[in-house]
């Protein structure tokens, strides 16, 4: 059953049409990887789904309900659709624990103790329980990104959007973060991720979409896209990326 | 290797420039010595004039003057050391020890510049002493007469409490009103437009009008016009009100700069968690902005504190008004100096406090990121 549906979405910044009619269906428990060159619109698409950007035309549906356009309760939508950013974006003036419990306590109506208990349990899962009282600046990039993932999970989202979450990390830290995403995929969390980690996409994605200049040029299973791409452009892109040493 | 980066005019002949001996030290050293001697002479003249003004200086005052005279001549010492470094440089150049020659030349130049720096400070100090003591001490008699300072002291310090109370009350109000204005200027969307516009107009207006005019208009206008509630306020409250009007305009701009300085990704992160606009502002943006705006905020507060010296125009007896009363009685400006000193005394700790805050914030950041 389709859980997240994107129907012919267009998005322009001024004269520049960044998304030129993107359509995408994501079923529950799917892990969809968006790949494509820099500037192809991956981040923009994710930000539109999270309503951080207003779309110019088209529809976005979550669980059969239109969540784009005027009058939508974006705050409720965002509690269902979590997002993790390339640059972590933790709140530097709050401890790790407070970063995580802020949204559940302030808007989810969860009691402080319950929220902290859950936050600690989640931190435990990502091996960060001992850093609960640290401040973000005292953490490595990989640790910050793990906290950011936990923060997004703390509101119990049904879909998680991950925007190149390992792109700013040192190579030896990438593994830690991807291991968590892999585990979440195993738990059946629905995820949509923009990534340059082709090895990870090949291993975990149930669906891979190749974006080119604001369109999904080709889509299919990981096997299809990586072993037998149909489009010339996809082949070129993969050729460039894979010989570039990013596997 | 050079051929790989630059193409020589004639292949194979390119060479680096030959090593050159260090520049001569003597001219700079002589200049330093000249400045030091002139400064010492000027200081001597100025101290002589001081000595003459005091008429019958006590023994300790005499000793102090002599000590100052000796200190004023000290810049000669590095100048002489610079001169001594010169022959050593020449000797080392002759011996072919270029690194050694460069080092002693550098030493010589450093001594010479040190001499100049200290000698210039001595000159400035001498000029000040001369200014105060010239004309048989007319300046110091006008500004620094101990008897009048003593006479004004208790009345002026008492009146200074009015300045402090007005400043503190206005600062509290300014913090609140400034934030309200800054948030109004940031309101998003079409619904926020009229409020944005009003806030901008307010900030523009009250930053443009000199605060003494606002004080004057508020002090006399509001009670003349019999504005309800306001007309019954005491002049002190009117002063607080007027200063709040002016300074909330400045502080609104400080807040706004602070809010703008928070990276948009913080907004995105907070909103993506489902926090509403006001909630994001309150829990994520403003707390981070406040840390950054303390120094500029304190600058504005120091300005506000100084402007409390203007509230005399609305009939409040503050320290400045009080000192002027005494001053016109005795026909001497020393009482006003008391007020000036009081303002300095309350401002310096605040300046040091801000320095400490900045240092601590930087230290914490450095400690965390390393
Ligand atoms: N706020 C904005 N204003 C104007 N143009 C924008 C804005 N954000 C993105 N763009 C443009 O939209 C295009 C797509 O950007 P986007 O960030 O979605 O690319 P991307 O696929 O995520 O690239 P990358 O792999 O480098 O992250 C780019 O050409 C970019 O210049
Ligand atoms: Mg991107």
């Amino acid at each position: 059953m389709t859980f997240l549906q994107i129907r012919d979405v267009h998005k322009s910044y001024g004269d520049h049409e960044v998304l030129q009619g993107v359509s995408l269906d994501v079923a529950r428990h799917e892990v969809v990887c968006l790949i494509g060159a820099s500037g192809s619109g991956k981040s923009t698409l994710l930000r539109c789904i999270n309503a951080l950007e207003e779309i110019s035309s088209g529809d976005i549906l979550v669980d059969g309900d239109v969540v784009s356009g005027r009058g939508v309760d974006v705050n409720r939508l965002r509690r269902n659709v979590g997002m993790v950013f390339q640059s972590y974006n933790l709140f530097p003036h709050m401890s790790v624990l407070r970063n995580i419990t802020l949204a559940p306590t302030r808007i989810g109506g969860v009691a402080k103790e319950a929220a902290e208990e859950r936050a600690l349990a989640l931190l435990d899962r990502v091996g960060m329980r001992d850093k609960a009282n640290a401040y973000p600046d005292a953490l490595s990039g990989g640790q910050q990104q793990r906290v950011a993932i936990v923060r997004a999970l703390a509101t119990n989202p049904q879909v998680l959007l991950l925007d190149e979450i390992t792109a700013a990390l040192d190579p030896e830290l990438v593994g830690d973060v991807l291991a968590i995403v892999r585990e979440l995929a195993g738990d059946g969390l629905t995820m949509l991720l923009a990534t340059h980690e082709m090895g990870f996409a090949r291993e975990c994605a149930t669906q891979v979409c190749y974006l080119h200049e604001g369109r999904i040029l080709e889509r299919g299973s990981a096997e299809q896209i990586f072993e037998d791409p149909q489009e010339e452009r996809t082949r070129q892109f993969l050729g460039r990326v894979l010989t570039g040493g990013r596997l | 290797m050079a051929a790989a980066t630059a193409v020589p005019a004639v292949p194979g002949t390119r060479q680096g420039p030959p090593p050159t001996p260090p520049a001569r030290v003597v001219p700079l050293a002589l200049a330093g010595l000249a400045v030091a001697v002139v400064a010492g002479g000027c200081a001597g003249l100025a101290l002589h004039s001081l000595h003459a003004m005091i008429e019958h200086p006590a023994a300790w005052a005499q000793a102090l003057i002599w000590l100052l005279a000796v200190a004023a001549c000290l810049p000669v010492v590095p100048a002489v050391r610079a001169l001594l470094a010169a022959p050593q440089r020449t000797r080392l150049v002759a011996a072919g020890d270029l690194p050694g020659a460069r080092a002693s030349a550098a030493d010589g130049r450093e001594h010479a510049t040190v001499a100049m720096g200290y000698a210039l400070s001595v000159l400035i100090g001498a000029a000040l002493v001369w200014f105060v003591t010239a004309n048989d001490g007319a300046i110091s008699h006008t500004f620094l007469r101990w008897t009048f300072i003593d006479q004004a002291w208790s009345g002026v310090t008492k009146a200074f409490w009015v300045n402090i109370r007005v400043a503190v009350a206005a600062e509290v109000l300014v913090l609140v009103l400034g934030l309200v204005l800054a948030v109004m200027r940031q309101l998003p969307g079409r619904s926020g437009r009229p409020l944005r516009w009003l806030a901008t107009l307010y900030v523009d207006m009250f930053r443009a009008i000199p605060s003494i005019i606002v004080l004057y208009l508020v002090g006399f206008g509001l009670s003349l016009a019999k504005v309800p509630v306001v007309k019954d306020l005491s002049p002190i409250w009117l002063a607080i009100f007027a200063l709040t009007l002016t300074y909330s305009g400045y502080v609104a701009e400080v807040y706004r700069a602070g809010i703008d300085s928070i990276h948009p990704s913080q907004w995105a992160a907070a909103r993506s968690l489902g926090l509403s606009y006001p909630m994001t502002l309150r829990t994520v943006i403003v707390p981070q902005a406040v840390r950054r705006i303390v120094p500029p905020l304190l600058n504005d507060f120091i300005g506000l504190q100084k402007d409390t010296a203007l509230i005399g125009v609305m009939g409040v007896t503050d320290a400045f008004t009080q000192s002027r009363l005494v001053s016109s009685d005795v026909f001497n400006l020393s009482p006003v100096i008391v007020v000036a000193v009081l303002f300095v005394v309350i401002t310096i700790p605040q300046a040091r406090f801000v320095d400490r805050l900045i240092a601590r914030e930087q230290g914490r950041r450095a400690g965390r990121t390393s």
Side-chain angles (χ1 to χ4, degrees), chain B residues 285-297:
Chain B
I285 305 300
V286 170
Q288 291 185 63
V290 163
R291 274 153 227 242
R292 298 187 188 179
I293 63 172
V294 170
L297 195 63

PDB file of all heavy atoms in Angstrom, chain B residues 285-297:
ATOM      1  N   ILE B 285      15.887  30.047  18.760  1.00  0.00           N
ATOM      2  CA  ILE B 285      16.571  31.185  18.139  1.00  0.00           C
ATOM      3  C   ILE B 285      16.972  32.239  19.169  1.00  0.00           C
ATOM      4  O   ILE B 285      18.142  32.590  19.283  1.00  0.00           O
ATOM      5  CB  ILE B 285      15.680  31.811  17.043  1.00  0.00           C
ATOM      6  CG1 ILE B 285      15.265  30.748  16.015  1.00  0.00           C
ATOM      7  CG2 ILE B 285      16.406  32.957  16.368  1.00  0.00           C
ATOM      8  CD1 ILE B 285      16.403  30.078  15.304  1.00  0.00           C
ATOM      9  N   VAL B 286      16.007  32.728  19.935  1.00  0.00           N
ATOM     10  CA  VAL B 286      16.321  33.820  20.864  1.00  0.00           C
ATOM     11  C   VAL B 286      17.372  33.419  21.908  1.00  0.00           C
ATOM     12  O   VAL B 286      18.314  34.184  22.160  1.00  0.00           O
ATOM     13  CB  VAL B 286      15.035  34.374  21.524  1.00  0.00           C
ATOM     14  CG1 VAL B 286      15.365  35.318  22.663  1.00  0.00           C
ATOM     15  CG2 VAL B 286      14.200  35.095  20.482  1.00  0.00           C
ATOM     16  N   PRO B 287      17.277  32.217  22.516  1.00  0.00           N
ATOM     17  CA  PRO B 287      18.328  31.878  23.489  1.00  0.00           C
ATOM     18  C   PRO B 287      19.732  31.901  22.889  1.00  0.00           C
ATOM     19  O   PRO B 287      20.685  32.282  23.562  1.00  0.00           O
ATOM     20  CB  PRO B 287      17.958  30.458  23.927  1.00  0.00           C
ATOM     21  CG  PRO B 287      16.514  30.335  23.655  1.00  0.00           C
ATOM     22  CD  PRO B 287      16.237  31.179  22.454  1.00  0.00           C
ATOM     23  N   GLN B 288      19.865  31.496  21.633  1.00  0.00           N
ATOM     24  CA  GLN B 288      21.188  31.542  21.021  1.00  0.00           C
ATOM     25  C   GLN B 288      21.579  32.975  20.678  1.00  0.00           C
ATOM     26  O   GLN B 288      22.748  33.360  20.789  1.00  0.00           O
ATOM     27  CB  GLN B 288      21.223  30.707  19.744  1.00  0.00           C
ATOM     28  CG  GLN B 288      21.124  29.229  19.990  1.00  0.00           C
ATOM     29  CD  GLN B 288      21.284  28.450  18.691  1.00  0.00           C
ATOM     30  OE1 GLN B 288      22.314  28.493  18.046  1.00  0.00           O
ATOM     31  NE2 GLN B 288      20.245  27.743  18.306  1.00  0.00           N
ATOM     32  N   ALA B 289      20.583  33.758  20.246  1.00  0.00           N
ATOM     33  CA  ALA B 289      20.878  35.136  19.855  1.00  0.00           C
ATOM     34  C   ALA B 289      21.322  35.940  21.070  1.00  0.00           C
ATOM     35  O   ALA B 289      22.269  36.716  20.989  1.00  0.00           O
ATOM     36  CB  ALA B 289      19.647  35.769  19.206  1.00  0.00           C
ATOM     37  N   VAL B 290      20.667  35.725  22.204  1.00  0.00           N
ATOM     38  CA  VAL B 290      20.943  36.540  23.390  1.00  0.00           C
ATOM     39  C   VAL B 290      22.410  36.443  23.788  1.00  0.00           C
ATOM     40  O   VAL B 290      23.038  37.424  24.153  1.00  0.00           O
ATOM     41  CB  VAL B 290      20.017  36.114  24.545  1.00  0.00           C
ATOM     42  CG1 VAL B 290      20.538  36.628  25.872  1.00  0.00           C
ATOM     43  CG2 VAL B 290      18.621  36.644  24.300  1.00  0.00           C
ATOM     44  N   ARG B 291      22.968  35.231  23.699  1.00  0.00           N
ATOM     45  CA  ARG B 291      24.378  35.077  24.053  1.00  0.00           C
ATOM     46  C   ARG B 291      25.273  35.961  23.198  1.00  0.00           C
ATOM     47  O   ARG B 291      26.291  36.452  23.651  1.00  0.00           O
ATOM     48  CB  ARG B 291      24.811  33.635  23.809  1.00  0.00           C
ATOM     49  CG  ARG B 291      24.529  32.743  24.980  1.00  0.00           C
ATOM     50  CD  ARG B 291      24.340  31.319  24.514  1.00  0.00           C
ATOM     51  NE  ARG B 291      23.143  30.804  25.155  1.00  0.00           N
ATOM     52  CZ  ARG B 291      23.141  29.773  25.979  1.00  0.00           C
ATOM     53  NH1 ARG B 291      24.250  29.133  26.214  1.00  0.00           N
ATOM     54  NH2 ARG B 291      22.034  29.381  26.548  1.00  0.00           N
ATOM     55  N   ARG B 292      24.908  36.108  21.948  1.00  0.00           N
ATOM     56  CA  ARG B 292      25.793  36.866  21.051  1.00  0.00           C
ATOM     57  C   ARG B 292      25.631  38.356  21.191  1.00  0.00           C
ATOM     58  O   ARG B 292      26.484  39.116  20.775  1.00  0.00           O
ATOM     59  CB  ARG B 292      25.486  36.506  19.596  1.00  0.00           C
ATOM     60  CG  ARG B 292      25.742  35.055  19.339  1.00  0.00           C
ATOM     61  CD  ARG B 292      25.601  34.770  17.875  1.00  0.00           C
ATOM     62  NE  ARG B 292      25.660  33.334  17.688  1.00  0.00           N
ATOM     63  CZ  ARG B 292      25.556  32.743  16.528  1.00  0.00           C
ATOM     64  NH1 ARG B 292      25.391  33.470  15.448  1.00  0.00           N
ATOM     65  NH2 ARG B 292      25.615  31.445  16.441  1.00  0.00           N
ATOM     66  N   ILE B 293      24.481  38.805  21.733  1.00  0.00           N
ATOM     67  CA  ILE B 293      24.235  40.245  21.681  1.00  0.00           C
ATOM     68  C   ILE B 293      24.634  40.952  22.960  1.00  0.00           C
ATOM     69  O   ILE B 293      24.474  42.157  23.056  1.00  0.00           O
ATOM     70  CB  ILE B 293      22.765  40.568  21.370  1.00  0.00           C
ATOM     71  CG1 ILE B 293      21.878  40.047  22.475  1.00  0.00           C
ATOM     72  CG2 ILE B 293      22.378  40.024  20.032  1.00  0.00           C
ATOM     73  CD1 ILE B 293      20.453  40.499  22.316  1.00  0.00           C
ATOM     74  N   VAL B 294      25.146  40.216  23.956  1.00  0.00           N
ATOM     75  CA  VAL B 294      25.472  40.885  25.215  1.00  0.00           C
ATOM     76  C   VAL B 294      26.448  42.056  25.017  1.00  0.00           C
ATOM     77  O   VAL B 294      26.187  43.154  25.499  1.00  0.00           O
ATOM     78  CB  VAL B 294      25.998  39.884  26.254  1.00  0.00           C
ATOM     79  CG1 VAL B 294      26.564  40.609  27.448  1.00  0.00           C
ATOM     80  CG2 VAL B 294      24.865  38.981  26.702  1.00  0.00           C
ATOM     81  N   PRO B 295      27.544  41.886  24.293  1.00  0.00           N
ATOM     82  CA  PRO B 295      28.452  43.039  24.137  1.00  0.00           C
ATOM     83  C   PRO B 295      27.810  44.259  23.465  1.00  0.00           C
ATOM     84  O   PRO B 295      27.851  45.349  24.045  1.00  0.00           O
ATOM     85  CB  PRO B 295      29.608  42.470  23.314  1.00  0.00           C
ATOM     86  CG  PRO B 295      29.583  41.015  23.599  1.00  0.00           C
ATOM     87  CD  PRO B 295      28.141  40.661  23.767  1.00  0.00           C
ATOM     88  N   PRO B 296      27.167  44.121  22.293  1.00  0.00           N
ATOM     89  CA  PRO B 296      26.550  45.324  21.721  1.00  0.00           C
ATOM     90  C   PRO B 296      25.431  45.875  22.592  1.00  0.00           C
ATOM     91  O   PRO B 296      25.227  47.093  22.661  1.00  0.00           O
ATOM     92  CB  PRO B 296      26.002  44.858  20.367  1.00  0.00           C
ATOM     93  CG  PRO B 296      25.987  43.387  20.417  1.00  0.00           C
ATOM     94  CD  PRO B 296      27.055  42.974  21.376  1.00  0.00           C
ATOM     95  N   LEU B 297      24.725  44.975  23.289  1.00  0.00           N
ATOM     96  CA  LEU B 297      23.662  45.420  24.176  1.00  0.00           C
ATOM     97  C   LEU B 297      24.243  46.290  25.279  1.00  0.00           C
ATOM     98  O   LEU B 297      23.717  47.352  25.617  1.00  0.00           O
ATOM     99  CB  LEU B 297      22.992  44.192  24.786  1.00  0.00           C
ATOM    100  CG  LEU B 297      21.655  44.391  25.454  1.00  0.00           C
ATOM    101  CD1 LEU B 297      20.667  44.862  24.408  1.00  0.00           C
ATOM    102  CD2 LEU B 297      21.168  43.094  26.055  1.00  0.00           C
TER     103      LEU B 297
END
